[in-house]
Amino acid sequence: MKTLQFANDGSKYMFDTSYDRVMILGDRIYECGNAICKRLALETKLSKKQQQEQDKTTNNQTDSTSLKESNVVKEEPSDEDDHAGNDGIEEGKFGNWFDGIKVHHVDYPSSEPIRVLGRIFAESSLANETTSAASAGRNHVSKLAIVDYDEHTLRSTRLDLSKVQAPSWWSLFPGQTVLLEGINPRGLLFSVSQIHCERTLTLPVAPTSLDKTLTLVIASAPFTDRDDLLYEKLSNLLMYCSNNPPDVLILTGPFADANCKLYAEVAETFDEYFEKIIATIMNSISGHTEVYVVANHNDLVSSFVYPTPPYKVTSFYKNLHFLPDPCLFSVEGLEIGVTTVDIIKQLIESECTAAHVTMRGSAAPIGGDKIKRAYGHLFHQASFYPLNPPFEDVPLDVDMLNEFGRLNRIPNVMICPSALNRYVREINGCICINPGFLDGLSGDGSYARLIIQPPEIDDQQSKENQTAFTGSAPLNPAPASYIACQIVKT
């Protein structure tokens, strides 16, 4: 019997090779690193331009020369200088140029400040000491390391984060692609002085094609209590949608949680049981309501892999749409991103921040906005699940994630159901929502209700879009001006 038949269709989960993982690692480091270097190069150019303007204003002062020397911007070394000082070193020791930014391999020995590009990871010896390898970065800062890839081998070196100067509030997690500045005298321990992990983000475009008010209802599983299969909370939600028909109903799985033992007593197949649930949903709501159902890998009828393919049923409903997890889709020009994995909570638990390091013998700064920081990781890493290694309950397929888990643009609305407290936040022009769970598990259940108004752009702004901003990103109204969201307790 061939082993491949045990794998899900199109999935290499538990059957992928180390070669596949290394090749994907190299591609992701290059793609994310290139975007980070582009932003750094742009900031360097702007800094040089500002410096030149300052120099012009100080030319008439007697001590202008000393001022220039004290404010000079550090420039990248030229090719001639670099090769002249390193004639005896193999060419393979050098990195590449990314938009004018010189990058070395992470294990390149240098007593002078250099830049290295790679992915953060926790050393394997640490993973054996903790219950979760993904949370290693939070609990053992001294064990964090960085890895990169060339044509011959993986290169890695440990990190010293005790002397980080910028940014003052930094955050690292296993799986994150970063550009680091610092020194590495022996090639074994990289002392970090600056961390660059942000790319230039393009803010989402307002749905200008929307010409009417759009109402959305968002609910996340589980939809029934763990001690029964009555689905009372789902029935109450469907009754509300029947009395107040929304334009869009978004439901995220699992509908039949594989961890619930009660489903073993069901006197029919899981597929038939799921068909009945879907039939109940579709027969309870108006035909004018578009229903979007997002899959979850813990569902009895789903493929146990993340990213998860969409559900399938034999019946046809013209207003029913099955979506994979994660997914990006558009409703009347409004882009919506959804993932059912609790990536926000996992990132917060896995990250290592400045609060975990004593900087220069003084107390570490007070923590920042954890939710905003976690969503920032998703946007800047351009991935629905940038954490690696994943949590134990996430059957991550690296190959499928590289193909179907990309977050190449910021949506207007981002839905991430989480065990954290419910929230509605505006982050980087995106309305980020945790609707909570419909049954609430140990507390009150909840769902989210959105009202989207046609965005208004005044005449002056419209003229600017047609003239000065032609060919670039248009000016957008603030999301709060046309999106209203309410968390409703059940």
Side-chain angles (χ1 to χ4, degrees), residues 301-320:
V301 295
S302 68
S303 300
F304 187 69
V305 65
Y306 181 83
T308 309
Y311 299 125
K312 296 179 181 179
V313 293
T314 57
S315 303
F316 173 75
Y317 304 92
K318 65 178 182 179
N319 58 331
L320 174 63

Side-chain angles (χ1 to χ4, degrees), residues 190-236:
F190 191 90
S191 180
V192 183
S193 60
Q194 293 191 46
I195 299 174
H196 305 279
C197 58
E198 295 184 348
R199 65 175 67 201
T200 301
L201 298 176
T202 302
L203 299 183
V205 179
T208 54
S209 60
L210 184 64
D211 56 0
K212 64 176 183 178
T213 300
L214 193 68
T215 58
L216 290 80
V217 171
I218 305 166
S220 178
F223 297 108
T224 185
D225 295 330
R226 289 190 176 276
D227 55 355
D228 64 54
L229 300 180
L230 300 178
Y231 289 85
E232 292 181 354
K233 296 295 180 69
L234 179 60
S235 299
N236 294 336

